[in-house]
Amino acid sequence: MLFYLTEPAALLGIALAFIIGVYARDAAQVGAARLVRDPTPARSGRLRAGLGRRVSPFSWVAVLIAGVGWAEPVPMNDVWRKRRFHVSAALLAGPLAYLLLTVAALGGFRALADRAVITGGNRGVEIGAVSGFALSLLLWMAITFGMMFILSLVPVPPTDGGRILFLLGPQSPGWRNVNYRLTESNLGVVILLAILLLPRLLPSLVPSITGQLIGPLLVGLGGLVGLDLG
C-alpha cells in the first residue's frame, strides 16, 4: 500500500478488498464447517472477532508493503485423522470466497464500464472523473481479491493451502517435523513474507510469484463476465 500513496483509488481499493476478503473468507469457512458438522470454528467466536484476531502483525506488514496479506487460520477439528477430508473441504471455502469476490469485482467493473458514457461540458467531465475513480477502485479490488486467492493456495502454513497439504499428507515423523517447523517456529510466515516483500524490495533480482499469476487469473475470470482484459 505504501507504493500507492499517490493513487487514492488503488489505496482505497486494496484496503477495502483486504478487509472484505478477510471477513468473507472467515464466514465462508465457518459456514462450510457447519455443513460438515464441525462446530469448532463457530464456538471459537471467530465470526465475532475483530481484525486483530483475524490478521497477524506480520500480515499487516505484508499488506502495507506488498498490498496483500493473509488471514489467521480458522480453528477447526483437524486433530481427528478421519475428519481430514471434511476439514479440507471447509478450508477450501476460503479460497473459493476470494475467487467469487474477484469475479464479483470484475463483474462490477464491466457493468460500470458499459454505463460510463462521457458527454461534453463540465457535467460530462464530472461524470467521467467519478466513473474513472470507481473503475480504478473496482479493478484494484479485483486485483487484491485475486492475489489473496493466489496467496491462500501457497502450500505453506498458515495459509489454507498449507493446512490442506499437511492434513492430507502422510503422517511420517519427517512430515510432522516439517509441519511443526513451519507452524510453531513461524518458518511458514517467514516464507510468505519473503514471497511478498522481496519482489517489492528487490524488484530487479526477485520475481513476484503473485504478480506473475494475477494477470492470467484476471484474464480468465474476466472472460466469465464478458470482460476482455487480454
Side-chain angles (χ1 to χ4, degrees), residues 19-230:
I19 294 173
I20 292 172
V22 167
Y23 278 90
R25 172 258 192 184
D26 284 8
Q29 290 190 341
V30 172
R34 284 176 177 170
L35 291 177
V36 297
R37 299 180 180 180
D38 182 3
T40 307
R43 290 175 180 174
S44 70
R46 189 55 173 254
L47 290 179
R48 299 185 300 274
L51 276 176
R53 282 184 58 192
R54 297 172 190 261
V55 183
S56 72
F58 299 106
S59 183
W60 281 121
V61 171
V63 173
L64 288 175
I65 298 178
V68 67
W70 62 92
E72 286 293 278
V74 174
M76 292 192 184
N77 183 18
D78 53 3
V79 177
W80 188 21
R81 186 69 178 159
K82 290 184 178 180
R83 288 194 56 84
R84 64 190 185 278
F85 293 105
H86 297 76
V87 175
S88 297
L91 288 173
L92 280 174
L96 180 60
Y98 294 143
L99 198 64
L100 293 176
L101 286 171
T102 308
V103 174
L106 291 173
F109 179 90
R110 187 205 168 183
L112 185 59
D114 290 342
R115 294 190 178 188
V117 178
I118 302 177
T119 59
N122 293 331
R123 181 58 179 167
V125 173
E126 292 177 7
I127 294 174
V130 172
S131 297
F133 181 88
L135 286 171
S136 182
L137 175 71
L138 286 169
L139 183 58
W140 275 105
M141 290 183 72
I143 292 172
T144 306
F145 287 139
M147 292 182 71
M148 293 176 78
F149 168 74
I150 293 170
L151 189 63
S152 71
L153 295 180
V154 174
V156 176
T159 69
D160 296 323
R163 292 182 70 185
I164 292 171
L165 174 66
F166 284 96
L167 269 173
L168 301 181
Q171 293 299 294
S172 64
W175 195 255
R176 289 199 299 268
N177 183 50
V178 171
N179 188 21
Y180 176 83
R181 290 182 178 277
L182 289 172
T183 54
E184 300 301 325
S185 301
N186 285 328
L187 182 58
V189 171
V190 173
I191 293 174
L192 290 178
L193 288 174
I195 289 174
L196 294 174
L197 302 187
L198 288 181
R200 280 292 185 184
L201 301 177
L202 303 169
S204 60
L205 298 177
V206 183
S208 172
I209 296 175
T210 55
Q212 291 176 343
L213 295 177
I214 189 61
L217 177 66
L218 292 182
V219 170
L221 295 179
L224 296 178
V225 296
L227 183 63
D228 185 9
L229 294 175

